[in-house]
Amino acid sequence: MKKLTFIIIAALGLTACGNKTNGNSDSNDSTAIDSTMAKTASLAASDADELVADGVDVAPADQWTEEAVAQQIKTIYAEVSKTYAASKDGMENNTDLDGMFCTQSFNELQRQIRVINAKKKADSRRFENEQIRWTYGMDTPVTPKNIKVELMTGNIAEATFELHSGEQWMYTKLTLDWEDNQWKIRSWNEVGDDNNDLFEEMSKFVEEN
């Protein structure tokens, strides 16, 4: 997708330069840009076709948009807030957030980690506090704001946003895969630190244990 973005920028740049040099009319400018956008759409469709040919489930056109991914993130954190809201008896709701909103690969790692942790002492267990991952320990409700989405391929998207709880907030970055007819979370990253990928850390933990 980054390669495709570079192609788009380069094509638009060449179009703009050509218009300045040749003194083309606004009509010609519009025609050139329309042509570039048509070629871009064709390239995107071609990428999706290749994924489908490889047996990869890709998002339909109405879901492969920044708006659709952002809406899914809002839906996810509305359920997070509901799950971790204290009830009258002081207990939290028992919603399986991972099962609802995380990929099969993430959930499989979670299963393996539970097996490993069951054999370890409490002080050496990892990835057990799921609330930290979902709320960073902040009180609910939590609300995602300033959501920015980058569509990587027909089945992968990345989103960065601020997760707010009152006056508290935390930067959040998610990698989402299109799976089971919805966008699901595969991993969390700390914004600005591409090396701190939760899925990779969990995978390494499983490999080492």
Side-chain angles (χ1 to χ4, degrees):
M1 191 65 177
K2 292 180 180 177
K3 181 179 180 181
L4 177 58
T5 303
F6 175 79
I7 294 172
I8 295 169
I9 294 171
L12 289 174
L14 289 172
T15 300
C17 291
N19 289 340
K20 290 180 181 179
T21 304
N22 299 325
N24 290 340
S25 66
D26 290 342
S27 176
N28 288 339
D29 289 347
S30 178
T31 300
I33 292 173
D34 287 346
S35 176
T36 300
M37 292 182 69
K39 291 178 181 178
T40 299
S42 177
L43 283 170
S46 177
D47 286 347
D49 288 343
E50 289 182 10
L51 288 170
V52 171
D54 290 338
V56 177
D57 186 21
V58 300
D62 65 330
Q63 292 297 313
W64 191 35
T65 67
E66 296 175 5
E67 293 77 9
V69 176
Q71 181 55 54
Q72 176 68 347
I73 289 170
K74 293 175 183 178
T75 298
I76 289 172
Y77 280 95
E79 189 65 32
V80 170
S81 294
K82 177 181 175 183
T83 297
Y84 289 114
S87 62
K88 292 181 180 180
D89 60 4
M91 301 296 291
E92 295 165 345
N93 294 317
N94 189 24
T95 303
D96 181 11
L97 294 170
D98 287 351
M100 292 173 65
F101 299 122
C102 293
T103 61
Q104 294 178 20
S105 57
F106 183 90
N107 279 295
E108 173 57 22
L109 274 180
Q110 282 285 82
R111 186 194 66 77
Q112 294 180 44
I113 286 171
R114 290 190 194 99
V115 172
I116 293 169
N117 280 340
K119 301 174 183 178
K120 289 180 172 289
K121 295 181 179 179
D123 60 356
S124 60
R125 296 173 183 173
R126 294 191 63 193
F127 309 108
E128 286 195 326
N129 190 344
E130 295 180 2
Q131 184 173 354
I132 294 298
R133 167 161 41 89
W134 288 109
T135 69
Y136 300 104
M138 297 187 297
D139 292 334
T140 54
V142 288
T143 306
K145 297 182 179 180
N146 300 321
I147 303 172
K148 297 179 181 179
V149 176
E150 182 176 1
L151 300 170
M152 309 302 290
T153 68
N155 68 320
I156 301 173
E158 290 184 350
T160 57
F161 53 93
E162 300 164 4
L163 190 65
H164 285 252
S165 170
E167 295 185 359
Q168 292 182 303
W169 58 276
M170 291 288 294
Y171 276 119
T172 303
K173 180 179 179 181
L174 302 179
T175 301
L176 303 102
D177 292 355
W178 180 256
E179 186 177 284
D180 297 332
N181 297 315
Q182 64 175 307
W183 288 105
K184 289 193 171 186
I185 301 171
R186 171 159 47 90
S187 190
W188 281 255
N189 297 70
E190 287 189 7
V191 173
D193 186 357
D194 291 335
N195 294 321
N196 191 4
D197 183 291
L198 179 62
F199 187 89
E200 291 183 1
E201 288 184 358
M202 290 168 62
S203 298
K204 184 177 180 181
F205 179 75
V206 169
E207 290 174 2
E208 292 176 348
N209 290 274

